[in-house]
Amino acid sequence: MGEGDRVVVRYLDTNKTATYTLTLGTSDEINGILSTTSPMGKALLGLAEEDEADFEVGGSIRRIIVIRVESLSNKVT
């Protein structure tokens, strides 16, 4: 998983899901944009579907599971 990929994750502490597009730019989580330099973005790099990861935000550790990945390289142009 890397820049341009779209990922659906589930936060294991709240059981809520979210969809993000990974970017090298600035995160805008409200609009589904997640920077690969953010704590969660760094944790997601290289993961695949069903992988789990931990990341720290605001002094707390959060755990996520990757539900689905739409890879930029798999898109038909």
Side-chain angles (χ1 to χ4, degrees):
M1 176 177 340
E3 180 190 8
D5 291 346
R6 187 176 173 138
V7 58
V8 179
V9 299
R10 179 181 308 126
Y11 293 89
L12 295 178
D13 57 346
T14 63
N15 208 35
K16 292 186 178 182
T17 60
T19 302
Y20 300 107
T21 299
L22 298 178
T23 181
L24 290 176
T26 305
S27 287
D28 182 359
E29 293 182 31
I30 299 290
N31 291 307
I33 306 296
L34 184 66
S35 175
T36 56
T37 61
S38 70
M40 185 166 64
K42 288 178 185 176
L44 286 169
L45 289 177
L47 297 184
E49 291 179 2
E50 299 185 16
D51 286 347
E52 295 183 15
D54 296 319
F55 65 97
E56 185 175 347
V57 62
S60 298
I61 302 293
R62 298 202 67 188
R63 188 163 188 80
I64 53 174
I65 184 169
V66 178
I67 304 298
R68 185 173 62 246
V69 177
E70 183 181 313
S71 178
L72 182 63
S73 61
N74 290 340
K75 294 179 183 176
V76 177
T77 56

